[in-house]
Amino acid sequence: VRFADVAGSSTTLKVRSYRDQDALWVYAANTSGTATSVDIPIPGLIDLSDGKTLENPPGTQIGLAPFQLRSFKAAAGSTLNQVTCPKE
């Protein structure tokens, strides 16, 4: 499975996605030693670490600890064209 970079990712915060017939799969990887956040503007993202649905309307920042990887699932047919990361 090949994930594609999502526009808006930075050099230290990578967001990638993959779509299949069942879902849109997304991960965010913080490769720096500093905590950061990202806005992934898809309502109803499911956090794959605990299965809980995030309350993340557009503009909501999802936190990442230093060197943390977070993975998510969105409903089939969801699209992700752009994320918003803090300026480096």
Side-chain angles (χ1 to χ4, degrees):
V1 174
R2 185 170 194 115
F3 281 70
D5 289 336
V6 177
S9 294
S10 69
T11 56
T12 59
L13 180 56
K14 295 296 182 186
V15 179
R16 295 190 172 116
S17 67
Y18 170 77
R19 180 183 337 210
D20 63 18
Q21 66 276 8
D22 298 321
L24 175 68
W25 306 90
V26 178
Y27 74 81
N30 179 5
T31 63
S32 80
T34 304
T36 190
S37 61
V38 61
D39 177 11
I40 302 175
I42 301 174
L45 277 179
I46 297 170
D47 188 327
L48 294 177
S49 70
D50 60 13
K52 293 182 180 176
T53 301
L54 300 179
E55 298 296 328
N56 68 314
T60 301
Q61 297 293 309
I62 297 170
L64 288 103
F67 306 108
Q68 183 179 22
L69 172 87
R70 293 189 67 182
S71 53
F72 307 96
K73 176 182 174 181
S78 297
T79 58
L80 179 59
N81 299 317
Q82 177 93 25
V83 296
T84 304
C85 299
K87 300 282 186 225
E88 294 185 325

